[in-house]
Amino acid sequence: MDKYLEMIRIRFLMMLAYRTNYYTGILIYSINIGAYYFLWSAIYGEKDAIEGMSVIHMSTYVAIAWMARAFYFNNIDREMAAEIKEGKVAVELIRPYNYLGMKTMQGLGEGIFRLFFFSVPGMVIVSFIFPLQFSADAATWLLFVLSIVLSFFINIQINLLTGITTFFLFNNTGLIRAKRVVIDLFSGLLIPISFFPTWAQDVLKFLPFQGISYVPSMIFTNSFSNNEAVQAIILQGIWVLILIIPIQILWIIAKKQLIIQGG
Amino acid sequence: MKDAITVRNLKKEFKAYSSRSGLKGAFRDLLTRNYKIVPAVNDISFNVKQGEMVGYIGENGAGKSTTIKMLTGILTPTSGEVTVNGMNPHRDREKFVSTIGVVFGQRSQLWWDIAVQESFRLLKKVYKVSDEQFESHMAHVIKTLGLEPLLDKPVRKLSLGQRMRCELAAALIHNPPLLFLDEPTIGLDVLVKLKIREFLKEINEKYNTTILLTTHDLTEIEALCERVVMLDDGKIIYDGALKSLKEKWGEGKEIEFQFLEEVEITDLNSITASSEVKWEKNDKEPIYTAIVEDNDELISLLIAKVVADLKVKDINIKETSTEEIIRNIYDRGIS
Ligand SMILES: Nc1ncnc2c1ncn2[C@@H]1O[C@H](COP(=O)(O)OP(=O)(O)OP(=O)(O)O)[C@@H](O)[C@H]1O
Ligand SMILES: [Mg+2]
């Protein structure tokens, strides 16, 4: 376990070495939040609420969804693809650790870094600019924390899955990009799932994506009752377990037929 | 003593895809791709005892790196058996790899953006090395390889030679009983090479570490390895002492003559007709080389005969170098 914790620390250090990148990141995220805020304000117009969400709910939803994204989002899939293409996995495989486990920890190190240096300061800045509403209920915060941790795991598992496909497809840049768009759209980052047509909502219920952004954001904005929140979190947990299966299967096959590029 | 490495009928085949030419070919490639199966390692068997230093040599593309990748558990063999440190490298990978150290000359295993000592610290955790062990062992390694001034620098700021020394230290953090070195001194200057060589000898003596080394620098093999395994086209063509390789394929001694007068090969042949000699003339300079069996009597007799008949400007007696022997074997094959 020690080694996995150490990896989180190392990743944190690496991010720290390049921290200036993140100040520009905060700006970009703030612009995104601003753009969506004005878009939604225009859509709401005179209306008090749409699909049970008021405009202030919605701006909080947008802000938290983007700031949460800074925590769960990472480029581990792209990193894996590069490592596989350049033959660097060879080096990973001579280490006495689980490659996928280590990748998860690197993602976590990155997430924790972004949480402190990006999401929290970003949220403070954004809350000065836009009217947001924070819950005062400790239970909400607790559920939110639980939910956001699970959303990290769902997202990284999908990333690992995408990364492993490099072993089979060799060039999967397109797939990685498509995955990103799919997640941003179907996770509820851009539009809350409750705004989708009913049939689409029904389909999305059977996919893991809403566990990434929609669930934690709805919890944060108090749009779920405690009961609904607990149910949603349990579903997130189930998805984390389910996703282990395809990852392990693909990984075993990949290792068997692995070809290391370069001498 | 038990063997560190046992390899039986090991084979690795790669699919080599070939692209069809032209646009039409490119479309056909989308559907079905032509490939042929190339054996990179073709049915090899050998053993390495604990504490041995073995040179694994062969031409470019002979299959050396492929073998090492199988021995370290990175690649699955197509067929055959591998037992290293009593384990199956691929099946028991996670447990197995903590008993070996590996250096790939062309590939860094340190983390690019962080200081060398952070990499060491991470590896120490990864290999579960205790503080005392780390202190006593690594302090020595760091000192011998002269790494103190490099420790706080990020790897990307190191020169090749500096980085390679750190890589070697990183491979030794857990003091493994078996070390695989795939071209560890590629592109290094003479001094660094010498340092690494001395160091490898030292750990071999101190800890009885087994070392399997591939390199194209034969002086290195000569300095370190008593035994060589030579690979050609995926097959082992020689496995034995470096010394007997020299005795068997070293083509005796070469004696170079320069004369004060014009001389023809036929003259030389007739002068030395009574002994077994082969004369060769250098293309560029007026140097004649007599190739004779390595026998002191024979050589002095030959020189006496030549000197008696011709005016000699310079004589030079040379032993065939390992490099030449190996080159000859690569050129002509072993038989
Ligand atoms: N990923 C791969 N796909 C297809 N063929 C490969 C692959 N890797 C190696 N080969 C082939 O296997 C053979 C052996 O390669 P290998 O890297 O083991 O050679 P080597 O002895 O290490 O050579 P060098 O001295 O140049 O490092 C070569 O003919 C090479 O083309
Ligand atoms: Mg090689």
Side-chain angles (χ1 to χ4, degrees):
Chain A
M1 202 54 222
D2 234 17
K3 55 194 175 194
Y4 295 101
L5 293 178
E6 183 69 16
M7 186 50 107
I8 297 181
R9 196 185 76 92
I10 292 280
R11 190 52 169 240
F12 199 90
L13 285 180
M14 275 159 70
M15 303 293 290
L16 213 54
Y18 290 105
R19 62 183 166 278
T20 37
N21 293 359
Y22 284 89
Y23 299 133
T24 48
I26 293 187
L27 193 69
I28 293 170
Y29 268 54
S30 301
I31 291 172
N32 258 312
I33 292 171
Y36 279 99
Y37 169 76
F38 291 118
L39 181 71
W40 283 114
S41 308
I43 293 171
Y44 271 80
E46 300 297 304
K47 271 176 258 166
D48 287 336
I50 303 178
E51 302 289 339
M53 278 174 98
S54 69
V55 81
I56 194 155
H57 258 144
M58 183 52 90
S59 41
T60 311
Y61 182 97
V62 168
I64 195 62
W66 280 92
M67 288 310 169
R69 183 180 190 267
F71 171 68
Y72 66 71
F73 181 84
N74 52 53
N75 283 318
I76 293 296
D77 49 351
R78 255 205 273 163
E79 250 173 59
M80 281 175 73
E83 277 175 4
I84 293 163
K85 280 184 209 169
E86 290 162 20
K88 281 197 193 131
V89 255
V91 172
E92 296 291 324
L93 291 179
I94 55 159
R95 300 272 182 241
Y97 52 56
N98 181 309
Y99 177 63
L100 299 177
M102 267 313 176
K103 281 283 151 224
T104 307
M105 289 303 143
Q106 290 179 359
L108 195 56
E110 204 173 318
I112 293 171
F113 175 87
R114 292 231 195 93
L115 182 72
F116 286 120
F117 286 83
F118 192 121
S119 302
V120 172
M123 206 60 189
V124 171
I125 294 171
V126 169
S127 65
F128 280 124
I129 306 174
F130 307 108
L132 305 181
Q133 191 179 50
F134 295 98
S135 170
D137 185 3
T140 308
W141 282 90
L142 184 73
L143 290 171
F144 172 70
V145 169
L146 253 172
S147 171
I148 191 80
V149 169
L150 290 169
S151 74
F152 167 82
F153 280 106
I154 295 176
N155 184 63
I156 194 131
Q157 285 179 312
I158 293 174
N159 276 353
L160 294 178
L161 216 47
T162 322
I164 296 175
T165 60
T166 322
F167 285 110
F168 308 100
L169 301 177
F170 196 64
N171 197 336
N172 63 349
T173 339
L175 184 69
I176 288 174
R177 227 177 275 148
K179 182 224 74 185
R180 206 160 148 180
V181 174
V182 165
I183 287 191
D184 281 351
L185 189 61
F186 294 150
S187 69
L189 171 71
L190 304 180
I191 308 162
I193 306 282
S194 49
F195 283 51
F196 280 61
T198 339
W199 63 266
Q201 286 188 41
D202 288 341
V203 174
L204 287 176
K205 258 186 214 137
F206 294 98
L207 294 172
F209 305 115
Q210 56 176 308
I212 296 175
S213 182
Y214 180 66
V215 172
S217 306
M218 290 301 269
I219 292 176
F220 190 86
T221 54
N222 264 332
S223 308
F224 276 164
S225 68
N226 276 1
N227 225 345
E228 278 175 318
V230 170
Q231 265 176 18
I233 288 172
I234 289 170
L235 198 62
Q236 279 183 303
I238 290 172
W239 270 113
V240 171
L241 296 179
I242 290 176
L243 284 169
I244 293 174
I245 299 164
I247 292 175
Q248 288 305 325
I249 291 174
L250 279 186
W251 180 236
I252 288 167
I253 300 173
K255 272 196 298 189
K256 274 237 175 71
Q257 58 150 61
L258 167 69
I259 301 268
I260 299 289
Q261 307 301 327
Chain B
M1 189 169 273
K2 83 176 206 310
D3 285 343
I5 304 176
T6 319
V7 174
R8 286 282 154 274
N9 307 104
L10 182 64
K11 202 169 188 176
K12 180 75 196 179
E13 290 169 341
F14 286 114
K15 279 182 186 169
Y17 290 97
S18 57
S19 312
R20 298 183 181 92
S21 63
L23 189 61
K24 209 171 131 201
F27 275 113
R28 284 184 60 199
D29 277 349
L30 280 179
L31 302 173
T32 56
R33 294 183 67 194
N34 279 335
Y35 65 84
K36 30 177 218 284
I37 294 208
V38 231
V41 170
N42 199 351
D43 200 11
I44 63 170
S45 304
F46 64 91
N47 290 0
V48 176
K49 287 200 214 45
Q50 184 65 40
E52 260 190 307
M53 289 208 255
V54 178
Y56 198 55
I57 58 177
E59 287 177 87
N60 286 134
K64 304 181 294 296
S65 300
T66 308
T67 315
I68 292 201
K69 282 175 198 158
M70 286 189 281
L71 293 180
T72 50
I74 298 169
L75 290 181
T76 358
T78 307
S79 65
E81 270 171 54
V82 185
T83 312
V84 183
N85 290 339
M87 284 175 266
N88 175 332
H90 197 264
R91 212 191 43 221
D92 310 326
R93 191 187 64 82
E94 242 175 272
K95 186 159 135 252
F96 164 74
V97 287
S98 54
T99 66
I100 59 165
V102 189
V103 174
F104 293 113
Q106 317 84 321
R107 201 160 265 158
S108 179
Q109 12 186 338
L110 299 166
W111 285 265
W112 204 239
D113 295 312
I114 55 175
V116 176
Q117 59 196 2
E118 295 292 347
S119 279
F120 285 179
R121 204 183 126 160
L122 175 55
L123 289 174
K124 171 180 172 277
K125 290 265 166 67
V126 165
Y127 287 103
K128 299 199 180 84
V129 181
S130 70
D131 287 338
E132 303 90 67
Q133 225 181 327
F134 186 80
E135 286 302 320
S136 66
H137 175 59
M138 276 314 268
H140 178 69
V141 171
I142 286 170
K143 197 156 141 263
T144 330
L145 290 172
L147 302 183
E148 291 101 340
L150 310 176
L151 288 177
D152 56 355
K153 291 200 182 131
V155 176
R156 69 190 135 89
K157 289 194 178 150
L158 300 181
S159 82
L160 179 64
Q162 291 170 336
R163 203 198 79 209
M164 284 313 301
R165 280 183 285 152
C166 295
E167 301 269 352
L168 192 59
L172 290 167
I173 277 190
H174 51 306
N175 198 1
L178 173 59
L179 200 54
F180 292 97
L181 306 171
D182 192 356
E183 303 189 41
T185 55
I186 192 167
L188 302 189
D189 74 36
V190 199
L191 285 177
V192 177
K193 271 189 189 179
L194 217 61
K195 201 174 223 169
I196 289 184
R197 229 179 260 175
E198 287 307 313
F199 178 71
L200 290 177
K201 257 191 215 158
E202 192 198 311
I203 58 159
N204 172 262
E205 271 160 30
K206 200 162 156 191
Y207 304 110
N208 200 30
T209 308
T210 315
I211 299 177
L212 187 74
L213 168 77
T214 84
T215 173
H216 293 289
D217 179 355
L218 291 164
T219 52
E220 205 149 290
I221 301 275
E222 280 184 295
L224 290 174
C225 310
E226 275 168 23
R227 174 175 163 207
V228 291
V229 175
M230 196 190 288
L231 207 61
D232 184 42
D233 224 355
K235 286 202 157 72
I236 291 179
I237 53 171
Y238 180 81
D239 179 356
L242 180 65
K243 234 173 50 215
S244 38
L245 184 76
K246 275 174 142 177
E247 277 160 17
K248 238 168 160 172
W249 282 280
E251 303 182 317
K253 289 233 161 116
E254 299 182 349
I255 310 164
E256 291 180 349
F257 290 93
Q258 271 178 280
F259 301 105
L260 287 170
E261 49 203 314
E262 284 282 313
V263 179
E264 289 295 323
I265 289 265
T266 46
D267 302 337
L268 292 167
N269 275 334
S270 60
I271 291 169
T272 56
S274 55
S275 28
E276 278 280 318
V277 184
K278 207 175 116 217
W279 285 96
E280 275 172 9
K281 184 179 184 300
N282 190 309
D283 298 334
K284 291 175 214 108
E285 296 160 284
I287 296 174
Y288 295 84
T289 311
I291 302 164
V292 291
E293 196 189 317
D294 187 1
N295 176 321
D296 295 342
E297 295 252 335
L298 215 69
I299 291 168
S300 54
L301 192 69
L302 175 93
I303 295 174
K305 275 187 196 158
V306 175
V307 174
D309 277 28
L310 298 162
K311 287 209 178 78
V312 174
K313 191 170 136 197
D314 193 14
I315 302 183
N316 193 1
I317 305 179
K318 292 201 313 192
E319 199 171 342
T320 1
S321 66
T322 319
E323 190 156 330
E324 241 167 304
I325 298 169
I326 305 278
R327 197 180 63 215
N328 283 335
I329 296 177
Y330 286 173
D331 269 357
R332 293 184 222 139
I334 200 93
S335 49

